[in-house]
Amino acid sequence: MTEYFIQAFIYLTAAVVAVPLAKRLGLGSVLGYLVAGVVIGPVTGLVGQETATIQHFAEFGVVMMLFLVGMELDPKSLWAMRIRLLGLGGLQVVLTSAAGMAIAWWMGLQWQTTVAVGLIFSLSSTAIVLQTLNEKGLSKTEGGRGAFSVLLFQDIAVIPMLAVIPLLAISELAGVGATDPGHQGGFSLVAHLPGWAHALVVIGSVTTVIVGGHFLSRPLFRYVVQSGMREVFTATALMLVIGIAALMSVVNLSPALGAFLAGVVLANSEFRHELVANIEPFKGLLLGLFFITVGAGINFEMLAAQWGTVITLALAVILVKAAILLLLALLFGLRGRDGWLFTLGLAQAGEFGFVLLTYSMQNSVIPTDIAQLLGLVVALSMFLTPLLFIAYDRLILPRYREARNEQREADVIEEQAPVIVAGVGRFGQIVCRLLRANKIPIVALDLALDQIENLRRINIKSYFGDASHTGLLETAGIAHARLLVVAIDDRDRAVSLVHHVKQHYPGVWVLARAFDRGHGYQLRQAGADDVVSETYHSAVELGGHALTAFGVHPLRSRQMTWAFINNEKSHEDELFDAWKEIEEGIRFSPRYGELFMKLEDTLSDVMQQDWEPPRREEVPLWSPPKTDE
């Protein structure tokens, strides 16, 4: 028992240390997990043979991930993506399998082995790709959607692959280290059934998942919810996913595919959000554990003995798959940065490659020594995937941003105005409309053509260009402007723009949009005359509505929200000075925390003051101002 506690502590410590460090360095959590596995496994030897067993357990994180992915879809969504699912995904699997078979044949392997190798390397890593796309906010882009379609088709294609592999058995390998596959995976309902019976059992299992998920899950969850115990609901959610995975396993189907189907069935359930909230933490932890075991399972002895072969094959897999993916991206209209995201994101082997390798070895299709070598190639290609995403971020994206900006030169600004608005997104547009409604002349600048065109439709003078460029700002009339509104989406550019304007045009009043309190302090330090957080007032407004919904009188709620705002303003200078101490190198400033405590105590005192709703005649009513006429 002690040994299990020690091993669990080692794995968790490796994750806690490596992942935040990797995130801070901009490397992503997946690479952090992989490096942590390498450190505690091959490098230091803190973990050993148990990694293979833990990896089987951790693969359940992939099952949970696909269950959650399924819950984000519904049959209508699947039908809408049928072209990319079947066309893009199908062509990718077929072409990559053919390329893998050709390379394996050229290396002198038997034709049965070449087929298995082609199928293995046609798959990509669902776990790494989806996790990274979600972390970077790229899952909704065209490239991200295309990658998801291919990954989904690959997961479905695992089923026929598992059916084909036993048919490729090589008689010479049957007596060399092979075991009966029917007993290798434990209990199986289809191990000794004829083909027609096997097919019926598979169809029955899939039907059970779909029908049971649709008709039985809702009464079950209603019954559990009535108990009022959250932990029982969590247990029910885990029971559902584990039960489906077990059912798929005993009929030799992919547990991940079964979980995905169940997720699609439950996509429109009223319990969907609660299921996601309960399963998400387990999914994240198990996926992290899976990545750690991949890193810890790398056989450095074989890698040291055959490092040239392993590295060459891993790079060949990435290059060949990337070439095929780039061709498919062009055929299906994924161009520019979306095409490169699609290409680099899927150019690796996947975690199901380990499953197919083991299954092929058990069924006498791939010799043991070749299977071990190919396992290293799969692991190394997965290990390199985060680096491909880093290359996309740092090499591809900047180039396309520059190309996009170079395709169109900045507009010639024909008019000047006393007010310049830099950035006309969802925040800056409201400022522009309010000023225009009061007939105040403005000049709006932005790098987003669609936003510029939106303002032009409502007759607001808008120009394409980067407001942080000195020449464009001068052309817009910054030297004679009275007011500059900074609402651009780039934090650093916003700060540098404010600093430049206050240095060279100190007479211009600068209003700046801040993303959060820290960014607001940076803008204020740069010289901004007035700073407004983009979410502050809307959050205070919503808090007031929350008080009203809780039974507080609406006027009392309004008074409390203004008291909150005034209380913050009265301590703003003190908080700003304390923040500057931290920025100047005092990493721990007790004064900052003490000020927040003081602020909260003062606010509490204000909120506890006695108050009675005013009589009707005391409520001030607005009336238009009187004129001399």
Side-chain angles (χ1 to χ4, degrees), residues 339-416:
W340 282 109
L341 175 62
F342 174 79
T343 299
L344 296 177
L346 298 175
Q348 78 289 119
E351 55 275 350
F352 283 121
F354 295 116
V355 177
L356 293 183
L357 271 173
T358 303
Y359 196 61
S360 299
M361 193 166 54
Q362 293 169 0
N363 286 275
S364 306
V365 178
I366 299 179
T368 303
D369 56 340
I370 294 178
Q372 292 175 349
L373 178 66
L374 295 179
L376 277 177
V377 174
V378 171
L380 185 58
S381 70
M382 292 172 66
F383 197 93
L384 294 175
T385 302
L387 300 180
L388 296 178
F389 277 103
I390 293 172
Y392 171 79
D393 286 338
R394 300 184 181 179
L395 300 178
I396 303 298
L397 276 184
R399 180 174 300 177
Y400 277 94
R401 287 196 189 105
E402 292 172 4
R404 183 185 62 182
N405 294 338
E406 289 171 1
Q407 286 173 3
R408 171 170 176 164
E409 295 182 356
D411 291 340
V412 177
I413 299 178
E414 302 167 348
E415 298 183 15
Q416 296 183 349

Side-chain angles (χ1 to χ4, degrees), residues 4 52 91 95 130 180 267 272 296 347 351 354 358 370 414 422 438 455 463 467 490 497 514 594 601:
Y4 293 118
L91 281 174
L95 293 178
L130 291 188
D180 182 6
R272 179 170 72 92
E351 55 275 350
F354 295 116
T358 303
I370 294 178
E414 302 167 348
N438 286 275
L455 286 187
Y463 299 93
D490 191 305
L497 174 58
E594 290 169 3
D601 291 341

Side-chain angles (χ1 to χ4, degrees), residues 267-453:
N268 295 318
S269 169
E270 62 269 31
F271 302 102
R272 179 170 72 92
H273 297 292
E274 188 67 18
L275 281 168
V276 171
N278 280 274
I279 291 178
E280 185 72 35
F282 295 97
K283 183 267 293 185
L285 187 60
L286 288 174
L287 270 183
L289 182 60
F290 172 75
F291 296 139
I292 290 177
T293 59
V294 170
I298 294 178
N299 187 339
F300 268 58
E301 293 182 0
M302 177 175 284
L303 181 60
Q306 304 187 50
W307 63 272
T309 304
V310 172
I311 293 176
T312 301
L313 288 176
L315 293 177
V317 168
I318 292 174
L319 291 175
V320 171
K321 292 189 74 170
I324 294 172
L325 290 164
L326 187 58
L327 173 63
L328 292 176
L330 295 175
L331 289 177
F332 283 82
L334 295 173
R335 290 179 171 80
R337 57 185 180 183
D338 287 316
W340 282 109
L341 175 62
F342 174 79
T343 299
L344 296 177
L346 298 175
Q348 78 289 119
E351 55 275 350
F352 283 121
F354 295 116
V355 177
L356 293 183
L357 271 173
T358 303
Y359 196 61
S360 299
M361 193 166 54
Q362 293 169 0
N363 286 275
S364 306
V365 178
I366 299 179
T368 303
D369 56 340
I370 294 178
Q372 292 175 349
L373 178 66
L374 295 179
L376 277 177
V377 174
V378 171
L380 185 58
S381 70
M382 292 172 66
F383 197 93
L384 294 175
T385 302
L387 300 180
L388 296 178
F389 277 103
I390 293 172
Y392 171 79
D393 286 338
R394 300 184 181 179
L395 300 178
I396 303 298
L397 276 184
R399 180 174 300 177
Y400 277 94
R401 287 196 189 105
E402 292 172 4
R404 183 185 62 182
N405 294 338
E406 289 171 1
Q407 286 173 3
R408 171 170 176 164
E409 295 182 356
D411 291 340
V412 177
I413 299 178
E414 302 167 348
E415 298 183 15
Q416 296 183 349
V419 179
I420 300 173
V421 179
V424 288
R426 54 188 172 82
F427 192 94
Q429 277 187 22
I430 296 174
V431 177
C432 290
R433 290 170 59 194
L434 187 59
L435 292 170
R436 201 259 332 237
N438 286 275
K439 297 182 171 55
I440 298 175
I442 60 174
V443 170
L445 306 173
D446 203 305
L447 278 172
L449 286 172
D450 53 344
Q451 303 292 3
I452 294 296
E453 291 168 0

